[in-house]
Amino acid sequence: MADHLEASVTLPSDPASVSAARAHVAGALAEWGLPPDAELCDTVRLIVSELATNAVQHTFGQSPTFTVDVVLVRDERVHIGVTDSHPRFPKRLPAAVQQDNGRGLVIIRWLTAECGGRLRIRPTREGGKTVAVELPWPGAATVQPTETVVAAAQQEP
């Protein structure tokens, strides 16, 4: 397999785009040899659903689109990133048991840590942000779980 494979799609910030984002990433993973019934595939679909939902719900109409990128690096790591143009970084919200929302970032953090991955949130040059998850590819050496949140004041090089 190639050293670097990537797939990207830009979608409107609309609830219907969440399933399109999920299907796009699942299709890329299948094309790269990950069986649809693999545990990692289920995990990635859930992470993409949560990231895309956050991009739609929490940008308050200030991001008309969001972009989903998935990258496989040397059959070792898969990177999933969702980028929107809203400058506010996601925050962990207090989620009462009876609430229907507020748990997305908690779910993403838990799934990422459970897989031995990393979560990063970084600003874009255009003033938005990318929420990205890196997970080990099946059969690759496990990455030590860490979480890095880059301060909003920092800019990418």
Side-chain angles (χ1 to χ4, degrees), residues 56-82:
V56 170
Q57 289 185 343
H58 299 295
T59 59
F60 306 108
Q62 292 183 11
S63 182
T65 62
F66 65 94
T67 301
V68 180
D69 297 301
V70 59
V71 179
L72 177 60
V73 181
R74 292 188 304 272
D75 285 342
E76 294 175 1
R77 298 178 313 278
V78 63
H79 297 260
I80 304 103
V82 174

mmCIF file of all heavy atoms in Angstrom, residues 56-82:
data_model
loop_
_atom_site.group_PDB
_atom_site.id
_atom_site.type_symbol
_atom_site.label_atom_id
_atom_site.label_comp_id
_atom_site.label_asym_id
_atom_site.label_seq_id
_atom_site.Cartn_x
_atom_site.Cartn_y
_atom_site.Cartn_z
ATOM 1 N N VAL A 56 -21.949 21.078 12.594
ATOM 2 C CA VAL A 56 -23.248 21.586 12.140
ATOM 3 C C VAL A 56 -23.949 22.361 13.255
ATOM 4 O O VAL A 56 -24.439 23.469 13.043
ATOM 5 C CB VAL A 56 -24.142 20.425 11.645
ATOM 6 C CG1 VAL A 56 -25.571 20.887 11.405
ATOM 7 C CG2 VAL A 56 -23.559 19.804 10.378
ATOM 8 N N GLN A 57 -23.991 21.800 14.447
ATOM 9 C CA GLN A 57 -24.790 22.381 15.532
ATOM 10 C C GLN A 57 -24.149 23.558 16.242
ATOM 11 O O GLN A 57 -24.849 24.430 16.730
ATOM 12 C CB GLN A 57 -25.117 21.310 16.580
ATOM 13 C CG GLN A 57 -26.104 20.296 16.103
ATOM 14 C CD GLN A 57 -26.479 19.322 17.210
ATOM 15 O OE1 GLN A 57 -25.784 19.211 18.218
ATOM 16 N NE2 GLN A 57 -27.576 18.635 17.023
ATOM 17 N N HIS A 58 -22.846 23.583 16.339
ATOM 18 C CA HIS A 58 -22.200 24.561 17.212
ATOM 19 C C HIS A 58 -21.486 25.686 16.485
ATOM 20 O O HIS A 58 -20.758 26.452 17.108
ATOM 21 C CB HIS A 58 -21.246 23.855 18.169
ATOM 22 C CG HIS A 58 -21.938 22.874 19.044
ATOM 23 N ND1 HIS A 58 -22.876 23.239 19.987
ATOM 24 C CD2 HIS A 58 -21.871 21.522 19.090
ATOM 25 C CE1 HIS A 58 -23.344 22.153 20.580
ATOM 26 N NE2 HIS A 58 -22.752 21.110 20.053
ATOM 27 N N THR A 59 -21.681 25.812 15.178
ATOM 28 C CA THR A 59 -21.050 26.923 14.464
ATOM 29 C C THR A 59 -22.022 28.080 14.274
ATOM 30 O O THR A 59 -21.641 29.112 13.734
ATOM 31 C CB THR A 59 -20.500 26.476 13.095
ATOM 32 O OG1 THR A 59 -21.568 25.959 12.307
ATOM 33 C CG2 THR A 59 -19.401 25.442 13.268
ATOM 34 N N PHE A 60 -23.258 27.902 14.726
ATOM 35 C CA PHE A 60 -24.245 28.985 14.746
ATOM 36 C C PHE A 60 -24.388 29.685 13.402
ATOM 37 O O PHE A 60 -24.480 30.897 13.333
ATOM 38 C CB PHE A 60 -23.902 30.002 15.837
ATOM 39 C CG PHE A 60 -23.738 29.393 17.186
ATOM 40 C CD1 PHE A 60 -22.487 29.292 17.763
ATOM 41 C CD2 PHE A 60 -24.836 28.893 17.867
ATOM 42 C CE1 PHE A 60 -22.332 28.719 19.011
ATOM 43 C CE2 PHE A 60 -24.685 28.314 19.112
ATOM 44 C CZ PHE A 60 -23.441 28.228 19.685
ATOM 45 N N GLY A 61 -24.360 28.909 12.314
ATOM 46 C CA GLY A 61 -24.534 29.479 10.987
ATOM 47 C C GLY A 61 -23.338 30.264 10.480
ATOM 48 O O GLY A 61 -23.378 30.820 9.399
ATOM 49 N N GLN A 62 -22.259 30.330 11.256
ATOM 50 C CA GLN A 62 -21.072 31.094 10.845
ATOM 51 C C GLN A 62 -20.127 30.270 9.974
ATOM 52 O O GLN A 62 -19.136 30.787 9.493
ATOM 53 C CB GLN A 62 -20.331 31.637 12.059
ATOM 54 C CG GLN A 62 -21.128 32.697 12.788
ATOM 55 C CD GLN A 62 -20.348 33.275 13.950
ATOM 56 O OE1 GLN A 62 -19.162 33.048 14.111
ATOM 57 N NE2 GLN A 62 -21.027 34.047 14.769
ATOM 58 N N SER A 63 -20.417 28.998 9.800
ATOM 59 C CA SER A 63 -19.610 28.153 8.935
ATOM 60 C C SER A 63 -20.564 27.464 7.966
ATOM 61 O O SER A 63 -21.211 26.484 8.329
ATOM 62 C CB SER A 63 -18.835 27.117 9.759
ATOM 63 O OG SER A 63 -18.011 26.336 8.918
ATOM 64 N N PRO A 64 -20.678 27.964 6.744
ATOM 65 C CA PRO A 64 -21.648 27.394 5.810
ATOM 66 C C PRO A 64 -21.296 25.980 5.366
ATOM 67 O O PRO A 64 -22.162 25.240 4.904
ATOM 68 C CB PRO A 64 -21.624 28.366 4.633
ATOM 69 C CG PRO A 64 -20.334 29.092 4.741
ATOM 70 C CD PRO A 64 -19.963 29.108 6.189
ATOM 71 N N THR A 65 -20.026 25.603 5.512
ATOM 72 C CA THR A 65 -19.592 24.254 5.149
ATOM 73 C C THR A 65 -18.627 23.739 6.207
ATOM 74 O O THR A 65 -18.124 24.493 7.047
ATOM 75 C CB THR A 65 -18.855 24.242 3.785
ATOM 76 O OG1 THR A 65 -17.676 25.039 3.886
ATOM 77 C CG2 THR A 65 -19.757 24.740 2.658
ATOM 78 N N PHE A 66 -18.363 22.448 6.135
ATOM 79 C CA PHE A 66 -17.290 21.840 6.924
ATOM 80 C C PHE A 66 -16.606 20.810 6.032
ATOM 81 O O PHE A 66 -17.193 20.310 5.084
ATOM 82 C CB PHE A 66 -17.791 21.231 8.238
ATOM 83 C CG PHE A 66 -18.719 20.058 8.079
ATOM 84 C CD1 PHE A 66 -18.242 18.754 8.103
ATOM 85 C CD2 PHE A 66 -20.078 20.252 7.921
ATOM 86 C CE1 PHE A 66 -19.101 17.675 7.966
ATOM 87 C CE2 PHE A 66 -20.956 19.190 7.788
ATOM 88 C CZ PHE A 66 -20.463 17.886 7.812
ATOM 89 N N THR A 67 -15.347 20.533 6.331
ATOM 90 C CA THR A 67 -14.562 19.597 5.532
ATOM 91 C C THR A 67 -14.140 18.432 6.402
ATOM 92 O O THR A 67 -13.701 18.619 7.538
ATOM 93 C CB THR A 67 -13.321 20.292 4.944
ATOM 94 O OG1 THR A 67 -13.765 21.389 4.131
ATOM 95 C CG2 THR A 67 -12.488 19.347 4.100
ATOM 96 N N VAL A 68 -14.278 17.232 5.853
ATOM 97 C CA VAL A 68 -13.853 16.016 6.519
ATOM 98 C C VAL A 68 -12.663 15.460 5.752
ATOM 99 O O VAL A 68 -12.744 15.236 4.542
ATOM 100 C CB VAL A 68 -14.987 14.960 6.561
ATOM 101 C CG1 VAL A 68 -14.510 13.697 7.252
ATOM 102 C CG2 VAL A 68 -16.219 15.530 7.233
ATOM 103 N N ASP A 69 -11.559 15.279 6.450
ATOM 104 C CA ASP A 69 -10.351 14.701 5.863
ATOM 105 C C ASP A 69 -10.043 13.397 6.569
ATOM 106 O O ASP A 69 -10.163 13.306 7.801
ATOM 107 C CB ASP A 69 -9.148 15.630 6.051
ATOM 108 C CG ASP A 69 -9.328 16.952 5.335
ATOM 109 O OD1 ASP A 69 -9.499 16.926 4.114
ATOM 110 O OD2 ASP A 69 -9.300 17.997 6.021
ATOM 111 N N VAL A 70 -9.647 12.408 5.813
ATOM 112 C CA VAL A 70 -9.181 11.149 6.391
ATOM 113 C C VAL A 70 -7.886 10.791 5.669
ATOM 114 O O VAL A 70 -7.792 10.886 4.444
ATOM 115 C CB VAL A 70 -10.250 10.032 6.312
ATOM 116 C CG1 VAL A 70 -10.661 9.748 4.890
ATOM 117 C CG2 VAL A 70 -9.787 8.766 6.997
ATOM 118 N N VAL A 71 -6.864 10.447 6.458
ATOM 119 C CA VAL A 71 -5.532 10.181 5.919
ATOM 120 C C VAL A 71 -4.999 8.911 6.577
ATOM 121 O O VAL A 71 -5.059 8.763 7.801
ATOM 122 C CB VAL A 71 -4.563 11.356 6.212
ATOM 123 C CG1 VAL A 71 -3.169 11.063 5.680
ATOM 124 C CG2 VAL A 71 -5.109 12.656 5.636
ATOM 125 N N LEU A 72 -4.471 8.019 5.753
ATOM 126 C CA LEU A 72 -3.792 6.824 6.251
ATOM 127 C C LEU A 72 -2.313 6.994 5.985
ATOM 128 O O LEU A 72 -1.902 7.212 4.837
ATOM 129 C CB LEU A 72 -4.323 5.566 5.558
ATOM 130 C CG LEU A 72 -3.648 4.255 5.935
ATOM 131 C CD1 LEU A 72 -3.784 3.971 7.442
ATOM 132 C CD2 LEU A 72 -4.224 3.112 5.115
ATOM 133 N N VAL A 73 -1.509 6.931 7.036
ATOM 134 C CA VAL A 73 -0.068 7.145 6.934
ATOM 135 C C VAL A 73 0.658 5.826 7.170
ATOM 136 O O VAL A 73 0.577 5.252 8.267
ATOM 137 C CB VAL A 73 0.414 8.208 7.958
ATOM 138 C CG1 VAL A 73 1.912 8.437 7.830
ATOM 139 C CG2 VAL A 73 -0.352 9.505 7.767
ATOM 140 N N ARG A 74 1.324 5.338 6.132
ATOM 141 C CA ARG A 74 2.181 4.137 6.185
ATOM 142 C C ARG A 74 1.523 2.933 6.859
ATOM 143 O O ARG A 74 2.201 2.186 7.569
ATOM 144 C CB ARG A 74 3.501 4.465 6.860
ATOM 145 C CG ARG A 74 4.375 5.384 6.057
ATOM 146 C CD ARG A 74 5.757 5.548 6.669
ATOM 147 N NE ARG A 74 5.748 6.010 8.033
ATOM 148 C CZ ARG A 74 5.729 7.285 8.412
ATOM 149 N NH1 ARG A 74 5.716 8.222 7.516
ATOM 150 N NH2 ARG A 74 5.733 7.608 9.678
ATOM 151 N N ASP A 75 0.255 2.743 6.669
ATOM 152 C CA ASP A 75 -0.442 1.619 7.307
ATOM 153 C C ASP A 75 -0.212 1.576 8.816
ATOM 154 O O ASP A 75 -0.218 0.507 9.427
ATOM 155 C CB ASP A 75 -0.024 0.276 6.692
ATOM 156 C CG ASP A 75 -0.625 0.043 5.341
ATOM 157 O OD1 ASP A 75 -1.614 0.713 5.004
ATOM 158 O OD2 ASP A 75 -0.125 -0.825 4.606
ATOM 159 N N GLU A 76 0.026 2.742 9.419
ATOM 160 C CA GLU A 76 0.282 2.804 10.852
ATOM 161 C C GLU A 76 -0.750 3.618 11.602
ATOM 162 O O GLU A 76 -1.127 3.263 12.709
ATOM 163 C CB GLU A 76 1.663 3.425 11.120
ATOM 164 C CG GLU A 76 2.815 2.601 10.627
ATOM 165 C CD GLU A 76 4.146 3.311 10.804
ATOM 166 O OE1 GLU A 76 4.173 4.446 11.322
ATOM 167 O OE2 GLU A 76 5.158 2.718 10.410
ATOM 168 N N ARG A 77 -1.166 4.755 11.007
ATOM 169 C CA ARG A 77 -2.072 5.665 11.699
ATOM 170 C C ARG A 77 -3.117 6.180 10.725
ATOM 171 O O ARG A 77 -2.819 6.444 9.561
ATOM 172 C CB ARG A 77 -1.301 6.872 12.254
ATOM 173 C CG ARG A 77 -0.262 6.525 13.266
ATOM 174 C CD ARG A 77 0.523 7.747 13.753
ATOM 175 N NE ARG A 77 1.003 8.646 12.725
ATOM 176 C CZ ARG A 77 2.104 8.468 12.009
ATOM 177 N NH1 ARG A 77 2.834 7.408 12.183
ATOM 178 N NH2 ARG A 77 2.476 9.362 11.113
ATOM 179 N N VAL A 78 -4.309 6.345 11.233
ATOM 180 C CA VAL A 78 -5.352 6.985 10.448
ATOM 181 C C VAL A 78 -5.708 8.291 11.161
ATOM 182 O O VAL A 78 -5.873 8.330 12.373
ATOM 183 C CB VAL A 78 -6.584 6.068 10.238
ATOM 184 C CG1 VAL A 78 -7.260 5.712 11.551
ATOM 185 C CG2 VAL A 78 -7.578 6.696 9.274
ATOM 186 N N HIS A 79 -5.737 9.368 10.385
ATOM 187 C CA HIS A 79 -6.078 10.692 10.896
ATOM 188 C C HIS A 79 -7.456 11.050 10.356
ATOM 189 O O HIS A 79 -7.700 10.929 9.160
ATOM 190 C CB HIS A 79 -5.089 11.757 10.395
ATOM 191 C CG HIS A 79 -3.690 11.544 10.845
ATOM 192 N ND1 HIS A 79 -3.144 12.234 11.890
ATOM 193 C CD2 HIS A 79 -2.719 10.729 10.384
ATOM 194 C CE1 HIS A 79 -1.889 11.853 12.056
ATOM 195 N NE2 HIS A 79 -1.616 10.935 11.152
ATOM 196 N N ILE A 80 -8.324 11.520 11.231
ATOM 197 C CA ILE A 80 -9.645 11.996 10.841
ATOM 198 C C ILE A 80 -9.757 13.416 11.358
ATOM 199 O O ILE A 80 -9.550 13.661 12.549
ATOM 200 C CB ILE A 80 -10.773 11.141 11.450
ATOM 201 C CG1 ILE A 80 -10.606 9.668 11.075
ATOM 202 C CG2 ILE A 80 -12.134 11.643 10.998
ATOM 203 C CD1 ILE A 80 -10.070 8.839 12.173
ATOM 204 N N GLY A 81 -10.071 14.350 10.484
ATOM 205 C CA GLY A 81 -10.201 15.739 10.902
ATOM 206 C C GLY A 81 -11.450 16.371 10.325
ATOM 207 O O GLY A 81 -11.821 16.098 9.187
ATOM 208 N N VAL A 82 -12.094 17.185 11.121
ATOM 209 C CA VAL A 82 -13.239 17.968 10.657
ATOM 210 C C VAL A 82 -12.895 19.432 10.893
ATOM 211 O O VAL A 82 -12.573 19.834 12.005
ATOM 212 C CB VAL A 82 -14.540 17.564 11.375
ATOM 213 C CG1 VAL A 82 -15.676 18.493 10.990
ATOM 214 C CG2 VAL A 82 -14.904 16.119 11.043
#
